[in-house]
Every structure is written in C-alpha cells, then in structure tokens.
C-alpha cells in the first residue's frame, strides 16, 4: 500500500473481502489453477550454475546454509578467491546472507551492470513489441540510476518484478541499524521516485530516515536499509487482503536480520502492508531487534501486541487523514489482518504522526512522524512524542 495516496471506498473494501471469501472457498476445494514458477529467470540460472561450481577443488556451499557457516566459508578464502566468486556468480553472492557486506556490494554492482546490458539489447530487439522495448528502456534507466556512484546494494535480483535492498551508512560499523519495510506495489520500478513523491518510495523513505537519525544523534553510528527484497502485493487486490506474501516475505526478513554484521541494535519501520509482514515475522526475530514501529497499518495479523511474542517494543502511528483508517480491521478465515495497532486495546506504544499527511507521508522531512521514527531508531526514546497528551508511550523503556 506504499503507492496509494487516494482512498479506496469502504464499500469497495467490503466487496473485495466478499470476493476473497469466494476465492478461498474455491481454493480450498481445489478449483483454482496452480501458478507454476518459471525456471528461466536470471537468479534461477545463477543458482543452478552455483550448485555445480567449485573453487580450489571444493564444491561451493549450499546457498541455504546458515549464515554463520557461509561466513566461515568466505573467511577461509583469499581476497582474490572471494572476488572471483562475486564476479562469476554475482546474483548468488550479492544475495547471500553470510557473505561479507562489501563483497555483496561488489557482486550486486556487477549484477546491475549485467542487467543493464540485457535491457540495452532488449531496447533494440525488433522481435519485441513497442511496449516491450519501452519496458526495456525503463528498466535500463532504473539500473542506470542504481549504478550511480556511492550507492550500495545488499540485495539485487532483476527476476520478475525484481527485488533490491539499499544501504545508507556504514553497515559494518553501525551501532544502530534501521530497516524500512515498505508495502504494496514494491518492486524495482517503484524502488525510488523523483519529484514531489520522492519520500513515498522505499529509497526515499530510507534516505529521509537516515538523515533524520543523524540529526537526532550525530554521535551515534547509524545505518538504514531500504528493504524492498520481498514479493509485495501488486495493487489492492486479493494478495493485499491475504497474508501469503507477508508470510513468504517474513522468511526473507528474518534471514536478513539474522545475518546482519556486528552486534548493532535493530529497529524495523514497517509501512502499510509492510506492517503485516513485520507482524508475521515478529515472533522469530532475534533479540537484537529492539523496536518494531508501524505506520498506516491495516493490521499485524494478531488481535493484540502480546500475540506478536516479541521482546521488541511495538510502536504504532497513523495520521489523521490516512485512508487506511477506513479499511475494516478484521480477520476471518485468513482474510484481513486483524486489530488496528493504534487502538488502545491493541497494546502498542502509540506515537504521534503530527503533521504527516496522507497514507504515504510519514517519512516526509520535517514531520513529527519522521522525527519520532528517528528518535526510536537511535534509541532516544525520551524524545518521542506520544499520540496522547501524557507520556504513556514512553513508559518502561530504558533511556526514556
């Protein structure tokens, strides 16, 4: 729900939920078609090649091995061997939890250059329709932008609608790490925007948060990740009402957090459908995750914060004209995402969204919502402004 600034009507949402009930009934009785996964995507081809690869006479490790084991593997190699693997298998190494951060940056830059070349060729492929060549041109422009000097990607996959995760700051040395988890319509083509909506896209959100955190606590070494590395719902359709994509994304989120370098404390900032994903992931996140903050949330697939089974502090905010307020907070047979996190009975720490506007306005520079996020991200809890007149949202937090 990242890219939607206007409100779907309440009637439309109820109609969608009704259709969803029918869909689930058909699915459970076996009347829906099975969607087969393609095996000719770039990353699938790269994984097949990796599985057959060898270095110094030894087979390469399983990509699903625990990050610690993979880290040990890379530590056993020479610098030249590590670089050779990144250059030969960039789409594997660049997305491999356990590989050194800087090596992943190197691999993903190489993968981006290869992806750009592919799209440059497609732009002039007479076998494609004009629309296909236009699509290739737009993708080439996106990859060109991502290759700009000084950008660092912890994940990149051009397959399908694409995944990516960009890092701001020094991830290896950070004392505090923040992850921005965006919502509906997140993909490579919506990773960033220009113009007035810059801060409504994942990269813009993360850049705004990084700048605000550095202002809030200049002495704190921070890093922020724009985490667009999951398959998000496309538009407000069936996938946005169900939790299937959130469950799959939660697996990827937990894997990344578990592989982050160092001992930094981690905060999650989850917007819209991203808060559904964070709710699903919460119970298996490592203890280094100290805060889960949601904004514009349709629910976290629980009825109260205690059901998240997390040691992290759970924060919530919603501005006064966010259309998400009109979405029915319900969960029936897997449809809907549960209780409203800003309701008093949910049990979250409700922070003020202040002067934020609309569903996508929480990360706008100068807003109280962004200032509150930054304070949470650097652990300056005493600076958080609560939604109510008292300081109830800060009670019981060390440092508040």
């Amino acid at each position: 729900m990242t890219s939607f600034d206007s409100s779907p009507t309440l009637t439309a949402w109820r109609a969608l939920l009704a259709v969803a009930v029918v869909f689930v009934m058909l699915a459970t009785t076996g009347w829906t078609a099975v969607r087969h996964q393609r095996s000719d995507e770039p990353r699938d081809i790269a994984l097949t090649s990796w599985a057959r690869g060898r270095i110094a006479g030894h087979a390469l490790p399983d990509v699903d091995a625990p990050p610690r084991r993979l880290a040990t593997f890379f530590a056993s190699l020479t610098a030249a061997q590590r670089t050779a693997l990144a250059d030969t298998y960039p789409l594997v190494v660049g997305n491999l939890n356990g590989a050194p951060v800087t090596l992943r940056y190197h691999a993903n830059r190489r993968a981006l250059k290869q992806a750009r070349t592919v799209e440059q060729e497609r732009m002039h492929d007479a076998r494609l329709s004009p629309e296909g060549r236009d699509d290739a041109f737009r993708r080439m422009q996106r990859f060109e932008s991502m290759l700009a000097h000084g950008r660092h990607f912890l994940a990149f996959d051009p397959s399908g609608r694409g995944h990516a995760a960009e890092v701001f700051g020094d991830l290896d040395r950070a004392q505090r790490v923040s992850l921005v988890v965006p919502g509906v319509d997140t993909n490579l083509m919506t990773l960033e925007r220009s113009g007035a909506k810059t801060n409504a896209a994942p990269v813009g959100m993360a850049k705004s948060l990084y700048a605000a955190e550095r202002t809030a606590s200049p002495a704190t070494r921070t890093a922020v990740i724009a985490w667009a590395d999951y398959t998000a719902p496309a538009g407000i359709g069936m996938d946005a009402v169900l939790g299937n994509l959130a469950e799959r994304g939660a697996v990827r989120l937990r894997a990344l957090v578990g592989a982050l370098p160092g001992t930094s404390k981690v905060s999650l900032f989850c917007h819209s459908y991203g808060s559904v994903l964070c709710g699903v992931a919460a119970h298996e996140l490592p203890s280094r995750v100290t805060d889960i903050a949601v904004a514009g949330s349709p629910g976290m697939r629980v009825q109260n914060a205690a059901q998240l089974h997390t040691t992290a502090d759970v924060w919530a905010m919603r501005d006064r004209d966010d259309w998400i307020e009109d979405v029915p907070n319900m969960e029936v047979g897997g449809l809907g995402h549960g209780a409203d996190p800003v309701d008093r009975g949910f049990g979250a720490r409700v922070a003020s969204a202040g002067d934020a506007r609309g569903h996508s306005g929480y990360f706008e520079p100068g807003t109280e919502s962004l200032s509150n996020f930054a304070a949470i991200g650097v652990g300056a809890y005493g600076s958080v402004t609560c939604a109510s007149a008292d300081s109830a949202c800060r009670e019981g937090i060390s440092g508040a």
Side-chain angles (χ1 to χ4, degrees):
M1 300 173 186
T2 296
S3 64
F4 288 83
D5 301 311
S6 59
S7 170
T9 65
L10 186 58
T11 300
W13 270 102
R14 286 173 174 162
L16 180 59
L17 288 172
V19 172
V21 171
V22 175
F23 175 85
V24 172
M25 291 176 64
L26 293 175
T28 56
T29 54
W31 292 355
T32 55
V34 176
R35 290 183 291 183
H36 297 284
Q37 295 291 326
R38 293 176 58 184
S39 59
D40 59 346
E41 294 284 14
R43 183 159 158 77
D44 292 331
I45 296 171
L47 288 170
T48 300
S49 179
W50 172 274
R52 298 170 179 166
R54 303 180 71 82
I55 190 165
H58 300 287
L60 301 177
D62 191 327
V63 294
D64 293 323
R68 185 173 297 180
R69 187 178 304 169
L70 291 170
T72 300
F73 164 74
F74 280 102
S76 71
L77 303 177
T78 66
Q81 287 173 326
R82 287 192 291 271
T83 301
L85 282 180
D87 289 342
T88 306
Y89 309 101
L91 280 176
V92 178
V93 176
N95 296 281
L96 204 56
N97 292 318
V101 167
T102 53
L103 189 67
R104 291 177 70 169
Y105 294 164
H106 172 84
N108 285 320
R109 190 164 188 82
R110 187 172 182 85
L112 275 162
K113 290 179 179 179
Q114 292 177 350
R116 179 183 59 182
T117 299
V118 168
E119 299 305 331
Q120 286 172 334
E121 293 174 353
R122 291 181 68 240
M123 285 165 48
H124 304 289
D125 190 339
R127 295 171 297 178
L128 296 180
S129 67
E131 292 78 10
R133 292 193 292 272
D134 287 344
D135 176 69
F137 176 69
R138 288 190 294 270
R139 287 173 62 87
M140 185 279 294
Q141 286 186 312
R142 168 62 69 240
F143 301 149
E144 189 76 37
S145 173
M146 294 170 72
L147 281 165
H149 178 72
R151 299 189 71 171
H152 302 294
F153 287 91
L154 194 64
F156 169 69
D157 181 3
S159 304
R161 292 189 294 141
H163 297 168
E166 184 169 9
V167 177
F168 300 91
D170 189 336
L171 193 56
D172 280 317
R173 298 181 62 251
Q175 298 166 302
R176 309 277 311 199
V177 174
S178 298
L179 274 82
V180 174
V181 183
V184 160
D185 277 339
T186 294
N187 56 63
L188 280 178
M189 299 310 295
T190 61
L191 182 67
E192 54 189 341
R193 294 187 187 180
S194 57
K197 297 296 183 180
T198 297
N199 301 302
V203 166
M205 293 177 178
K207 289 176 71 173
S208 291
L209 181 58
Y210 181 57
E213 287 184 352
R214 296 182 72 185
T215 298
S217 182
T220 302
R221 298 192 303 274
T222 62
V224 178
I225 302 173
W227 192 75
D229 193 24
Y230 80 104
T231 300
I236 302 179
M238 202 66 65
D239 283 333
V241 177
L242 300 171
N244 297 349
L245 294 181
E247 291 170 3
R248 296 173 198 169
V251 173
R252 299 178 68 87
L253 179 64
R254 289 191 292 258
L256 173 69
V257 174
L260 288 174
T263 58
S264 56
K265 293 182 178 180
V266 178
S267 300
L268 306 182
F269 297 91
C270 317
H271 179 244
S272 197
Y273 188 85
S275 67
V276 182
L277 190 160
C278 289
V280 174
H283 71 287
E284 290 187 350
L285 291 171
S287 59
R288 68 191 294 186
V289 177
T290 57
D291 301 277
I292 302 174
V294 303
S297 174
M300 302 180 75
R301 298 196 74 78
V302 293
Q303 294 307 307
N304 56 66
Q307 293 177 349
L308 293 172
H309 300 294
T310 177
T311 58
D313 286 304
V314 180
W315 302 81
M317 69 169 66
R318 184 175 65 224
D319 67 53
R320 62 174 60 92
D321 59 353
D322 188 338
W323 59 258
I324 204 75
E325 184 177 6
D326 295 331
V327 175
N329 289 108
M330 55 171 284
E331 193 282 318
V332 179
L335 304 173
H337 302 307
D340 188 341
V342 300
D343 282 352
R344 181 182 295 272
F346 187 83
R349 300 176 182 274
V350 183
S352 174
D355 47 357
R357 292 291 179 267
H359 186 58
S360 301
Y362 296 95
F363 292 84
E364 284 292 328
T367 56
E368 189 173 42
S369 55
L370 181 61
S371 295
N372 280 334
F373 277 165
I376 293 168
V378 299
Y381 302 111
S383 300
V384 176
T385 305
C386 300
S388 56
D390 57 30
S391 58
C393 77
R394 302 192 300 266
E395 289 182 356
I397 302 181
S398 175

